Amino acid sequence: MKSIDRRLFLRYAIQSAAALGLESTVLARLQSAYAAGGSGLPTVLWLAGGACTGCTVSLANRVSASHPTDVGDLLLNTIDLEFHPNLMGAAGQQAVDVLMDASHGPYVLAVEGSVPTAFGGHACVVWSDRGQDVTMAEAVSLLAPGAAAVLAVGTCASYGGISSAYPNPAGGRSVRDFTGRPVINIPGCPVHPDWVVWTIAQLLAGVSPALDAEGRPRDLYSRSVHDRCPRKGQGEATTFAVEGKCLKKLGCKGPDTRADCPTRLWNGGANWCIGANAECIGCAAPKFPDGWQSFYKQDVV
Ligand code: FSX
Ligand code: SF4
């Protein structure tokens, strides 16, 4: 879990407004919040459960000409790491106390990973409070009700994803399924750092992003990968490592996957999966991965 420094976050969002695709009304609200010192805005708390930590790595892996320029800038100048299982400075009871303290103020809850429910939730223990283990399920139950908004960061948190794939021994559930509360889903395995920043920027500006039936922000997920793929209509590749050809015959899931990867690209705009001659694996789709290819069943297509 981590708390994002609001003023630095606002500065980052404002500087990156064009790249993030923020509307001018949202940008104006962020600018006035920044001018006011960022006061009165909610803290962002981050929980990590059934996940590979790839979503945190993705967020921390930003490479850009604007702030944060790299992972060092992100961690040292942009994100105030109050609690994070991998990256926080504090540890043990001190970290838990900081978290509990922050939870008494207004906050947005960002959940990375699914919520494991097997073994009474003990498939995933997220911290120990005065010797008492606290499970991910307990942590989400504790923090979700008081949150101004709940973000499901990544496909595991949004829909179960890899961490809840068949046979799902940990009993992983999506955040929306587990809490029964409205959740903003930001799928992707991993999530794109810009999608997280874009969504948090909307909330800090007091804007609730319009969501589709799958709980995703429409502005980010309205079109399929295939829709804007530069390889559409360019002839189909029948073997890998063929430049410029459509990868559909090789298993590309772009037609069934909604995300803006073709225009946003990854790693600071360096490239994207299809640009590197790898088909879209559909990592941002609700049915990823079981709906296409189960790990342990061969009859699922
Ligand atoms: Fe899941 Fe994110 Fe995939 Fe991993 O944490 S969306 S397995 S990239 O890290 O939750
Ligand atoms: Fe569509 Fe994939 Fe072909 Fe691109 S490579 S045109 S996303 S099927």
Side-chain angles (χ1 to χ4, degrees):
M1 186 175 307
K2 53 196 163 189
S3 164
I4 294 178
D5 183 292
R6 287 160 279 173
R7 194 166 158 76
L8 285 164
F9 183 91
L10 289 170
R11 192 182 72 191
Y12 166 27
I14 291 165
Q15 288 174 340
S16 309
L20 290 170
L22 293 176
E23 288 181 14
S24 56
T25 48
V26 172
L27 179 59
R29 287 200 201 195
L30 290 174
Q31 283 168 331
S32 60
Y34 182 76
S39 58
L41 296 168
T43 296
V44 178
L45 302 178
W46 188 291
L47 282 177
C52 74
T53 319
C55 297
T56 284
V57 172
S58 178
L59 184 62
N61 202 27
R62 182 181 162 83
V63 180
S64 171
S66 58
H67 286 291
T69 51
D70 58 22
V71 63
D73 192 19
L74 180 79
L75 297 180
L76 296 173
N77 302 323
T78 308
I79 296 178
D80 176 15
L81 281 174
E82 292 190 20
F83 187 95
H84 189 289
N86 312 99
L87 301 169
M88 64 187 169
Q93 192 61 47
Q94 182 193 17
V96 176
D97 290 344
V98 167
L99 162 66
M100 290 306 158
D101 210 34
S103 72
H104 293 129
Y107 60 91
V108 169
L109 180 65
V111 181
E112 173 183 9
S114 63
V115 185
T117 59
F119 316 108
H122 285 264
C124 183
V125 171
V126 285
W127 65 72
S128 173
D129 191 356
R130 290 170 180 81
Q132 184 77 33
D133 281 352
V134 175
T135 67
M136 178 65 170
E138 289 169 334
V140 171
S141 298
L142 176 74
L143 294 169
V150 180
L151 309 185
V153 179
T155 301
C156 295
S158 299
Y159 308 118
I162 284 179
S163 67
S164 305
Y166 175 85
N168 194 10
R173 294 170 67 183
S174 72
V175 178
R176 186 165 62 170
D177 182 34
F178 177 75
T179 63
R181 302 175 65 83
V183 171
I184 300 174
N185 289 328
I186 322 172
C189 188
V191 74
H192 194 298
D194 285 1
W195 300 339
V196 179
V197 173
W198 182 94
T199 306
I200 293 175
Q202 305 290 313
L203 296 171
L204 291 183
V207 175
S208 293
L211 306 179
D212 65 16
E214 301 288 352
R216 302 169 291 197
R218 286 184 191 282
D219 286 350
L220 301 176
Y221 297 92
S222 65
R223 295 172 69 178
S224 73
V225 169
H226 177 76
D227 225 16
R228 287 181 282 188
C229 179
R231 299 194 179 200
K232 195 162 65 170
Q234 299 303 308
E236 294 195 3
T238 50
T239 61
F240 286 99
V242 175
E243 293 291 338
K245 300 279 188 194
C246 171
L247 302 166
K248 189 163 188 199
K249 281 192 175 145
L250 301 176
C252 183
K253 306 294 188 292
D256 278 339
T257 306
R258 291 174 178 266
D260 62 8
C261 303
T263 50
R264 189 176 297 282
L265 307 179
W266 286 71
N267 297 323
N271 207 349
W272 65 308
C273 299
I274 289 172
N277 282 331
E279 78 275 25
C280 170
I281 62 168
C283 78
K287 65 182 181 180
F288 177 79
D290 280 352
W292 279 306
Q293 184 68 63
S294 175
F295 293 122
Y296 296 108
K297 271 197 209 159
Q298 293 188 344
D299 56 345
V300 177
V301 178

